[in-house]
Each structure stands twice: as C-alpha cells, then as structure tokens.
Amino acid sequence: MNSLFSKSIKAGKITYYFDVKEAKNQSKYLTITASQPSESGEKKYSRRSINVFSSAADGFKEALQEAIAQLK
C-alpha cells in the first residue's frame, strides 16, 4: 500500500492521523486513526481506526459536514 497523503492533528492528549493510501488494485482509501495514551499509566497508546473507501467518500463527506455544523 502506497501512502499518497498524510496529516496529523493534535487535540489535547489525542492525536488524529489522516492517511490516504492506494491499494495494490490502485483503489484509494482514507484511514482515520485516533491515538491516545492508555489509561493504565504505562507508555502504551490506544489506537482506533476507520477506513473510508473511495466509493463512500462523498456520503462520508456530507455526513461529516452535517455533524460539524451541529457542533457550531
């Protein structure tokens, strides 16, 4: 998988990673990962990821924009 784009955003103790990758079949997808220190106090991190494939990108964008509008 080739990485085409990568950006991280720090929000308090959580870091969000946005990565656009290309699969072996040349399809592109977005991976959004949230990483934060584990609550156990150790130097470990908890990571959660979702993948958004190009076929769902427009619907994902619309839903995200609507959700952000509700935050304001």
Side-chain angles (χ1 to χ4, degrees), residues 4-20:
L4 304 173
F5 171 84
S6 187
K7 184 168 185 163
S8 62
I9 299 170
K10 186 87 170 144
K13 292 183 179 182
I14 301 174
T15 303
Y16 296 99
Y17 299 94
F18 297 84
D19 298 294
V20 175

Side-chain angles (χ1 to χ4, degrees), residues 38-71:
S38 67
E39 295 179 11
S40 65
E42 298 177 32
K43 290 190 175 186
K44 293 185 179 180
Y45 286 83
S46 170
R47 294 175 66 98
R48 297 168 311 282
S49 297
I50 63 166
N51 292 323
V52 180
F53 297 94
S54 58
S55 60
D58 289 334
F60 184 85
K61 178 184 171 186
E62 278 183 33
L64 182 60
Q65 287 174 331
E66 289 176 27
I68 290 171
Q70 292 299 314
L71 293 173

